[in-house]
Amino acid sequence: MGMAHRGRLNVLANVLNKPLDVIFNEFQGNFAPDSVGGNGDVKYHLDYRNVRKTATGYEVEVNLAANPSHLEAVDPVVEGKARARQRVLDDTAYRKKVVPILIHGDAAFIGQGVVAETFNMSQLPGYSTGGTIHFVVNNQIGFTTLPADSRSSEYCTEIAKMVDAPIFHVNGEDPIAVMEMSKIALEFRHEFGRDVVVDIYCYRRHGHNEGDEPAFTQPDLYGRIKNHPLPSEVFLKQIASLGTVPAEEAAALKAESLNELNDALSQVKLAAAEKAKAHEFAGSTAIFQPHYSHAPITTAITKETLDTIAKTLTTVPEDFRVLPKIKRILLERRLQVWKAGGPYNWSFAEALAFGSLLLEGTPVRLSGQDSRRGTFSQRHSVLYDEENRQRYIPLNHLRPNQARFCVYNSPLSEYAVLGFDYGYSMDFPSQLYLWEAQFGDFANGAQIIIDQFIASSESKWRRPSAIVLLLPHGYEGQGPEHSSARLERFLQLCADENMQVCYPTTPAQYFHVLRRQMHRKYRKPLILMTPKSLLTHEQAVSTESDFTGSRFFEVLADSEVSAKKVERVIFCSGKVYYDLVKYRKENNLTDAAAIIRIEQLYPLYKEKIARLAKPFINAKKTIWCQEEPENMGAWTFILPQLLNLFPGYIHYAGRPASASPAAGTIQAHQAQQAALVKQAFEV
Ligand SMILES: Cc1ncc(C[n+]2csc(CCOP(=O)(O)OP(=O)(O)O)c2C)c(N)n1
C-alpha cells in the first residue's frame, strides 16, 4: 500500500494494526533519531508491516510503504515493490497473490503528473503489476484550494479513463457502500488484471493540519461542516434504522474504542521489540549492512566464463535470420575481438558483466528508454529476425538454469520509471537493477525520486537499494541538452556513505564496478556517468586480462610518467582524461605532467589519492581539470578535499561558469574544449 499523510495514522492503527501505544509514543518525540546513522523522519512517513488474519482464517501480509512529503511520488515505488513481491512469490503469470493499493488525495490525484505516468505503466510487460486498486479520499479540497481552482475536469478521477479503468464514485458517509464497492474493485482487479478506482466522496472536518484554520479561506463551507453530524453519527443512524445493532450496543462499542485510545495514550511506552525494529534494516533487505568499505572486491571472471559468454554473444540459432548489418557490425566484430583477446569496447564489457552475473545466478534487470538497442546503437541486447521480427536475446541463452536477463524499453517517463525500478530494487535485492537515462540530462525528470528516495531513504527510513543509474554524460558538441548528467547535483547529495558516484574511463572499469555492486555484503545506489563517444573511442578499450585478472580501481594511477621530472599533477575524472593524454603526447609533455584519474568521486578514497600522488611530491602545481563549466562538474565538490590532501593552491582548468551546461554550436564547443585541455598544462 502507498498513501500520503491524511488518514495515515488511521490506516496504520486500523488496517495494519500498528499498536496504538507505539503510535502515541512516536508522537511524544521518542522516535529513534540515531537509527542507522541517519536522521529518521516524521512519524507520518514511516512504513509498517503486519500480518492480519481474515475472518476465514487466512493470513494476509499488509505493507504500507514509507513515503516522502511529495504527494504521489510513492505510487511508482509501490508498484515496483509489488512487482518484486510477485517475483519472490513466483506469481508473475497471474499476479494475484500481491495486490498494490494506492490511496490518493483528490487534489494530488489529478494534479501530479506521476499519477498519469503510473497509470500508463500499468499494462506494460516490464512494469505491470496485474492491476492496482486506487482509493481517492476525496475531501473536495487541497489544503486551501477548491476543485474549481485545481482541475479542468469534472471529476478528479478523469485521469484514470486513460486506461479505461472503471471508476466508482461512492458516498463516504455510507461505509457499507464503501465496503461493497471495495469488494467489487478487488473482484474486478482479480478478474481482469487492470486498474480500478474507488472515489470516496467526503469532506475534511478541520483544517489542513492540526494548527490550521479552514475558515480563513472557506468560511461558509466550514461553517456548514461544523454543524454537520460526524460520520459515526450518520452511520449509527443508518444501522439503527436497519435494526442490526441496537443503540445501546453501538454506544458501548464507541465507549470501548475511546477507552482503548485513552489507555494507549496513558501508557505511551515503546515495547522493546518495536524499539529494536526501529533500529534495523528491515524486510527483505535486512541482511545488508549499511557501511561502505574501500576494501578491494574480487570481481574478475575466469577465461572459461568469458568464453562461454562471448560464444553465446557471437552465435544465433540456425533458423534465426539475423540482419546482415548486425551480423557484420556486431556478431563478426565481437567474434574477432574475442579471438584476438581484445580490444574489448564498452558494450562488449557490459555484456560480459551482465552475462557473468547471470551465470553466477544473479538476475539482471535493465530498464530505460530504448535500452534494448541502446540510445547510441551500442547495446543490441535483443536481436530481431529479418523476416518476422522475432526476438532473440543472447544473454538468456548462456546455459540452462542461468538467471534471467530482463531488458525493457520503458515508456517515455523518467520519474515513474525510476521510481518503479527503485521500489523493485528494495524488495527483491538479489537482482541487479539498472535504470538508464536516454541522455544523462533527462535524469532531472526523476529528480524527486533521486532526492527523496535514492539519496536519502536509507537515512530516513533504513531502506537500502543497489539501483544503478546509467547516465550518458560528456562534452561532445551536441549542445546544452545532450551533454550533462548534472554530476554536480549528485555529488551535492552525497553524505553518510549514501551512494556511490563513479565516472569510469575504461570498459573493464565499467565491468568491474557493475559486478562489484552485487558482490558485497551491503547495498548502495550507484550513480554512473556513462559514455557516448567513448563507446567507440580507440583508446577507451580493455584487454582480456582486464576482465580475468583485475578489479575496480577507485583511483587510477599514471603509469606512463617518470616521477622525478613531473612538474604538475593533473587530477581529472572521466572522458577528459583521453583529451589530456592526447595533448600530452602531441606536445611531448609526458615527463612533465602526471594525470591521475578519480574513477569514483564518492565515497572518495582519499588515502589512495594521497598514495598515488606521493611520488610527485616535488611537482610545483596541482590541477583539477574538467570539461564541465566551473559551477558544474566535480570541481566545487573536489576542491576542499584536494586542498585537504595537498595544502596550497589547486588550479582550475575547465569551462568558465555558465548558466547553461554546454555551448550551442560545435565550433564554440571545440574551441572551449581545446582551451581547457591546454589550460591544464599551462595554468
Ligand atoms: C508535490 C507536493 N506539492 C505540494 C505539497 C504540499 N501539500 C501537502 S498536502 C497538500 C494538499 C493535498 O490535497 P489532496 O490531494 O486533496 O489531499 P488532502 O490533503 O486533502 O487529503 C499540499 C498542496 C506536497 N506535499 N507535495
Side-chain angles (χ1 to χ4, degrees):
M1 295 174 66
M3 70 179 300
H5 48 278
R6 195 167 315 283
R8 196 174 175 96
L9 297 175
N10 179 22
V11 168
L12 281 169
N14 296 313
V15 180
L16 286 107
N17 280 8
K18 182 169 180 175
L20 291 169
D21 57 339
V22 174
I23 295 178
F24 284 131
N25 194 61
E26 287 168 1
F27 267 82
Q28 303 287 317
N30 289 337
F31 177 66
D34 52 344
S35 51
V36 199
N39 311 310
D41 195 4
V42 295
K43 47 259 161 199
Y44 300 103
H45 291 169
L46 302 176
D47 58 4
Y48 198 74
R49 170 194 174 274
N50 214 343
V51 177
R52 298 274 322 254
K53 267 220 158 91
T54 65
T56 42
Y58 291 103
E59 287 193 336
V60 181
E61 184 187 337
V62 198
N63 276 279
L64 179 67
N67 69 295
S69 273
H70 288 64
L71 294 166
E72 308 291 344
V74 80
D75 298 358
V77 178
V78 167
E79 297 297 331
K81 286 165 82 75
R83 176 116 167 177
R85 284 160 191 278
Q86 289 167 346
R87 178 92 186 258
V88 172
L89 294 176
D90 207 10
D91 187 30
T92 51
Y94 301 105
R95 306 196 185 280
K96 292 200 177 176
K97 293 181 191 160
V98 180
V99 185
I101 297 176
L102 293 173
I103 306 178
H104 312 268
D106 50 315
F109 193 54
I110 189 70
Q112 293 289 302
V114 72
V115 173
E117 290 186 31
T118 309
F119 271 119
N120 186 43
M121 295 199 302
S122 66
Q123 292 299 314
L124 305 179
Y127 308 87
S128 173
T129 49
T132 298
I133 303 177
H134 300 264
F135 290 98
V136 181
V137 181
N138 188 345
N139 59 16
Q140 306 180 69
I141 195 160
F143 202 161
T144 67
T145 303
L146 291 174
D149 290 321
S150 132
R151 60 178 185 257
S152 298
S153 56
E154 173 77 15
Y155 295 101
C156 70
T157 48
E158 295 296 277
I159 192 70
K161 288 187 176 168
M162 65 184 277
V163 292
D164 277 339
I167 301 164
F168 303 115
H169 305 287
V170 52
N171 178 5
E173 283 192 324
D174 186 345
I176 294 175
V178 173
M179 187 183 72
E180 291 302 329
M181 288 326 299
S182 306
K183 284 186 188 166
I184 290 173
L186 179 62
E187 280 174 29
F188 174 87
R189 186 267 176 196
H190 266 25
E191 180 67 25
F192 298 105
R194 302 185 68 95
D195 285 29
V196 51
V197 181
V198 181
D199 179 19
I200 308 170
Y201 263 76
C202 44
Y203 61 89
R204 194 183 69 193
R205 178 155 291 269
H206 303 289
H208 178 69
N209 56 37
E210 294 83 345
D212 204 41
E213 171 53 85
F216 285 159
T217 48
Q218 277 80 20
D220 50 339
L221 178 63
Y222 279 84
R224 273 188 283 155
I225 288 173
K226 206 168 171 186
N227 295 320
H228 189 78
L230 294 171
S232 57
E233 289 164 4
V234 176
F235 185 48
L236 274 180
K237 229 177 173 177
Q238 190 190 353
I239 51 176
S241 69
L242 291 174
T244 44
V245 182
E248 315 80 63
E249 197 181 322
L253 277 173
K254 187 174 175 183
E256 199 183 310
S257 301
L258 274 176
N259 278 345
E260 240 177 70
L261 287 168
N262 279 325
D263 283 353
L265 183 58
S266 58
Q267 282 174 21
V268 180
K269 61 171 200 275
L270 192 59
E274 290 293 334
K275 194 165 182 179
K277 250 195 210 173
H279 284 263
E280 278 168 10
F281 278 72
S284 50
T285 48
I287 48 170
F288 301 115
Q289 300 302 311
H291 291 297
Y292 179 85
S293 161
H294 292 293
I297 308 291
T298 310
T299 45
I301 54 172
T302 61
K303 170 85 168 97
E304 294 75 58
T305 301
L306 187 146
D307 287 346
T308 306
I309 305 164
K311 184 161 183 245
T312 312
L313 291 173
T314 50
T315 32
V316 289
E318 262 171 38
D319 56 351
F320 188 84
R321 289 150 298 199
V322 69
L323 287 163
K325 188 161 181 195
I326 288 290
K327 192 165 182 227
R328 203 173 63 247
I329 65 160
L330 189 76
L331 306 186
E332 289 174 0
R333 207 173 285 170
R334 279 184 172 174
L335 186 68
Q336 242 174 21
V337 168
W338 169 38
K339 293 293 174 204
Y344 286 85
N345 67 12
W346 220 273
S347 133
F348 206 156
E350 179 187 83
L352 291 176
F354 293 169
S356 56
L357 287 168
L358 298 171
L359 287 171
E360 288 163 4
T362 299
V364 175
R365 175 183 161 99
L366 167 63
S367 118
Q369 290 154 24
D370 308 294
S371 285
R372 283 179 174 148
R373 190 201 72 175
T375 296
F376 313 101
S377 247
Q378 82 280 20
R379 183 171 290 125
H380 295 293
S381 59
V382 178
L383 306 179
Y384 298 92
D385 185 290
E386 193 177 17
E387 282 173 33
N388 56 17
R389 203 180 170 267
Q390 213 169 24
R391 287 201 306 237
Y392 178 71
I393 303 178
L395 282 174
N396 275 331
H397 297 273
L398 294 163
R399 68 140 194 259
N401 300 326
Q402 65 164 90
R404 232 170 53 209
F405 176 52
C406 309
V407 57
Y408 295 107
N409 286 346
S410 78
L412 215 168
S413 144
E414 289 80 27
Y415 188 175
V417 173
L418 180 56
F420 185 97
D421 284 312
Y422 166 77
Y424 204 158
S425 74
M426 276 191 298
D427 284 25
F428 184 44
S430 48
Q431 175 162 273
L432 174 69
Y433 295 83
L434 307 108
W435 173 75
E436 183 173 59
Q438 187 111 68
F439 282 86
D441 316 50
F442 303 116
N444 59 13
Q447 198 65 49
I448 293 172
I449 298 297
I450 294 164
D451 292 343
Q452 260 51 41
F453 290 95
I454 292 176
S456 60
S457 85
E458 186 178 304
S459 169
K460 292 188 294 192
W461 312 315
R462 313 171 299 282
R463 294 293 175 266
S465 154
I467 190 155
V468 180
L469 271 57
L470 303 179
L471 309 175
H473 174 83
Y475 283 62
E476 293 160 5
Q478 287 175 297
E481 315 305 327
H482 294 90
S483 298
S484 177
R486 302 287 192 171
L487 174 61
E488 62 280 359
R489 294 216 181 123
F490 289 99
L491 293 173
Q492 191 193 37
L493 291 171
C494 289
D496 298 331
E497 302 174 345
N498 59 341
M499 54 191 191
Q500 309 149 97
V501 180
C502 298
Y503 193 174
T505 52
T506 72
Q509 282 281 85
Y510 177 51
F511 166 90
H512 289 295
V513 83
L514 289 181
R515 286 181 47 72
R516 185 183 76 160
Q517 201 61 356
M518 302 310 286
H519 274 257
R520 296 179 300 200
K521 287 211 172 61
Y522 54 87
R523 294 285 185 258
K524 295 277 176 194
L526 170 62
I527 314 299
L528 273 181
M529 299 294 117
T530 57
K532 296 174 292 171
S533 65
L534 290 198
L535 289 168
T536 51
H537 193 288
E538 272 184 11
Q539 307 297 315
V541 288
S542 301
T543 60
E544 186 180 288
S545 62
D546 294 330
F547 303 102
T548 56
S550 190
R551 62 176 174 87
F552 179 68
F553 294 97
E554 296 175 35
V555 188
L556 283 177
D558 191 334
S559 52
E560 289 181 30
V561 295
S562 95
K564 272 181 241 139
K565 293 190 193 156
V566 164
E567 287 166 9
R568 58 179 61 222
V569 182
I570 305 172
F571 288 97
C572 66
S573 189
K575 171 183 152 280
V576 75
Y577 167 76
Y578 290 100
D579 292 351
L580 291 169
V581 169
K582 184 163 177 262
Y583 184 96
R584 183 172 70 174
K585 196 168 174 206
E586 284 171 2
N587 292 278
N588 291 324
L589 292 167
T590 305
D591 282 345
I595 305 172
I596 296 179
R597 280 171 279 177
I598 300 184
E599 303 269 304
Q600 176 171 301
L601 288 151
Y602 189 83
L604 191 65
Y605 197 174
K606 293 178 204 152
E607 298 77 14
K608 182 81 182 282
I609 295 174
R611 220 180 311 142
L612 294 183
K614 208 166 174 198
F616 314 120
I617 193 110
N618 294 324
K620 293 191 200 77
K621 285 187 175 159
T622 309
I623 294 117
W624 173 259
C625 180
Q626 66 176 30
E627 48 180 17
E628 299 85 356
E630 194 169 356
N631 54 331
M632 301 175 193
W635 170 236
T636 50
F637 168 84
I638 205 89
L639 175 63
Q641 322 226 35
L642 288 180
L643 276 175
N644 241 337
L645 289 170
F646 312 105
Y649 194 83
I650 311 293
H651 297 268
Y652 170 77
R655 287 182 162 79
S658 160
S660 137
T665 66
I666 184 82
Q667 292 81 1
H669 157 78
Q670 283 164 347
Q672 288 175 350
Q673 192 79 6
L676 74 91
V677 172
K678 192 160 180 256
Q679 199 184 5
F681 291 89
E682 292 184 358
V683 66

